[in-house]
């Protein structure tokens, strides 16, 4: 059974009163070739004759949901590992980070922060705040003449 079917069974498990009513009806009625139970009653009799049927269904439901959760976590883990692999093996990203390091070293030349071998990744959010300028002081892309 799949998890949805188990949940459906759990929703339709008879109460103690219903179980007692079914057991009383089973004792009162003679079942032979002319008198048979309807399929719904037959199913309920089969179900209530299973020892600890409610607990078993609950355990089965828990197991099924746990398996689904573990499968979801496995997919997420594979996605994360795939993303890490892309980052670690990306030549384009390596070039961009190298250019950023070179630009930072150039901008910080002559200061104690120049000639760095690396930088914190938190600096990446600040890169967009840098403004380009030419030696004459005009902004990059602006006209000087």
């Amino acid at each position: 059974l799949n998890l949805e079917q188990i949940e459906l069974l759990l929703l339709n498990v008879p109460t103690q009163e219903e179980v007692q009513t079914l057991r009383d009806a089973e004792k009162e009625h003679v079942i032979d070739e002319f008198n048979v139970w309807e399929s719904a009653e037959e199913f309920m009799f089969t179900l209530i004759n299973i020892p600890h049927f409610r607990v078993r269904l609950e355990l089965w439901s828990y197991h099924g949901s746990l398996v689904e959760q573990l499968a979801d976590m496995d997919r997420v883990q594979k996605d994360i590992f795939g993303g890490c692999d892309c980052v670690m093996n990306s030549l384009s990203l390596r070039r961009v980070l190298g250019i950023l390091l070179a630009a930072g070293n150039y901008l910080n030349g002559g200061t104690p922060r120049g000639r760095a071998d690396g930088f914190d990744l938190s600096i990446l959010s600040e890169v967009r705040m840098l403004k380009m300028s030419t030696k004459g002081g005009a902004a990059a892309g602006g006209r000087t003449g």
Side-chain angles (χ1 to χ4, degrees), residues 104-120:
N105 282 337
Y106 177 78
L107 291 172
N108 292 317
T111 69
R113 292 172 51 182
R115 302 289 306 155
D117 294 326
F119 57 87
D120 284 339

Side-chain angles (χ1 to χ4, degrees), residues 3 12 14 39 46 50 54 60 64 67 73 100 117 122 125 131 138:
L3 190 57
N12 292 298
S39 59
T46 303
I50 299 171
R54 179 183 292 276
W60 208 358
V67 168
M73 285 192 284
L100 287 173
D117 294 326
S122 61
S125 64
K131 292 185 178 180

Side-chain angles (χ1 to χ4, degrees), residues 31-101:
I31 302 301
D32 56 20
E33 61 188 59
F34 301 110
N35 296 318
V36 294
W37 294 108
E38 294 291 329
S39 59
E41 286 82 9
E42 189 68 40
F43 175 75
M44 283 298 165
F45 285 126
T46 303
L47 189 64
I48 66 174
N49 286 324
I50 299 171
H52 310 289
F53 59 93
R54 179 183 292 276
V55 175
R56 288 180 179 200
L57 284 173
E58 288 170 352
L59 183 61
W60 208 358
S61 172
Y62 174 76
H63 178 268
S65 65
L66 181 64
V67 168
E68 280 185 2
Q69 289 174 359
L70 289 174
D72 289 343
M73 285 192 284
D74 187 50
R75 281 190 293 276
V76 169
Q77 181 185 26
K78 286 179 182 176
D79 290 344
I80 291 172
F81 285 160
C84 289
D85 188 50
C86 286
V87 168
M88 295 297 291
N89 296 317
S90 172
L91 294 177
S92 300
L93 182 60
R94 192 174 294 204
R95 283 190 205 119
V96 168
L97 294 177
I99 291 168
L100 287 173
L101 179 62

